[in-house]
Amino acid sequence: MTNSLRPYGNRRTPLPPAQSPAPGVPSPRTPGSSTRAHRSDRAAPSGKQRDAFFDNAKYLAIVLVAIGHAWEPLKGDSRTLEAAYTVVYTFHMPAFIIISGFFSRSFDMRPDRLRRLITGVAVPYILFETAYPLFKRFIDDDPQQEVSLLDPWYLTWFLCALFVWRLTTPIWKAVRHPLPLALGLAMLASVTPEIGDDLDLQRVLQFLPYFVLGLCMKPEHFHMVRRRSVRIASVPVFAAALAVGWWAVPRMNTAWFYHRDAAQELGAPWWAGPVMVLAMFGCSLLLTACFFAWVPRRHMWFTALGAGTLYGYLLHGFVVKAGDYQGWFEHSALRGPLGAIAVTVLAAALVTLLCTRPVQRVFRFAMEPKMEWAFKRDAAELARERERSEQRQPREKVSA
């Protein structure tokens, strides 16, 4: 009688399968309808079919990041180069952050996802936040350079910000109007110099709306900006942006594009902070949409490199900083148009090389450490393994 109430007899009721991202949430897998995802899973048992568009966008964005860093020591000699620099800085990090938010939509406090957050974001932050100051001590002969985990160094601010943003993802998914709330926090941060430099919280808060926007987006939003009409319209938009950037070079403080200071710290009245947050948000979204419109959606020669963008991001800074410390950018040959073109090509080639599989294999210990020794086994995972072993035992007896 008791067994009749148990569809599985004396065995335990099977646990539900391991959770997967919600429908339409593209982890690094191809986004789309559940039917298409199911068909793709049957066709590819590995279940790791990536969307070429997002990998292409990540690669192209990281190339622009590296080029922008390489232009920084040279931009003071050319108004045209500084105009291009400001245009690139208007959208390259917002594009990268929007994609990061989009791929964080399935994040919750599940133990396996928390482990990936720690090993894939927190641990690389600690390692590179230590490595960059030590690198400066050695290359720049600066033994007084301090190592501090509270003051993000150069590139590491993004890892610190990503850790905070992703941890707060459940909150943004729970509130009714997440994007206006995030914009409000960014505007408040822009008038609060008392926040200070710890953990680069100014950048964390002022770039927050782009991450929240990514959380709110759906695959169809990316399809909208990839239409032919948008690609055509983006050409005059970029041309106008370059013209405005050229006009603004002597009239605007470039530090507004870094989002790391309050208005008062930039010598502006307090009310300029919220105005600039909204203005920069609008301009960044416009240029980011134009950038996405020109990202190829098919597999290209660089598509596979999109999986290694974190490697290129964190490692190219050592070369750029070495050049800065050693005076490479002071060479007269680099001060003209041909020099700027050469630096651009070299920066793009460098970050491309650093995104390749051999580099990933060498530095995986720092970027994607397994660290199984540091974590407890998830109780649900252990129970599933126990259930599978119990199911195998009767089959083994029957076959014997």
Side-chain angles (χ1 to χ4, degrees), residues 7-87:
Y8 294 91
N10 290 324
R11 289 181 290 154
R12 297 183 183 90
T13 302
L15 289 161
Q19 294 181 17
S20 57
V25 177
S27 61
R29 298 181 177 86
T30 304
S33 67
S34 57
T35 304
R36 208 171 66 197
H38 179 62
R39 193 180 301 124
S40 137
D41 287 345
R42 286 187 298 178
S46 62
K48 293 184 178 179
Q49 189 176 0
R50 300 177 66 96
D51 187 330
F53 170 80
F54 290 104
D55 279 334
N56 292 339
K58 287 164 61 180
Y59 166 77
L60 294 174
I62 212 64
V63 167
L64 291 175
V65 169
I67 289 173
H69 289 151
W71 281 350
E72 192 165 353
L74 305 175
K75 64 184 177 66
D77 296 335
S78 169
R79 184 171 178 177
T80 301
L81 185 62
E82 188 158 2
Y85 175 88
T86 57
V87 171

Side-chain angles (χ1 to χ4, degrees), residues 189-193 197 202 206 251-270 272-274 276-277 280:
S190 70
V191 297
T192 315
D197 297 327
Q202 278 288 356
Q206 291 194 37
R251 298 174 174 85
M252 182 177 176
N253 190 342
T254 309
W256 285 109
F257 295 90
Y258 304 145
H259 298 281
R260 66 186 178 197
D261 300 297
Q264 297 91 324
E265 295 172 291
L266 298 177
W270 69 267
M276 287 301 294
V277 165
M280 293 294 295

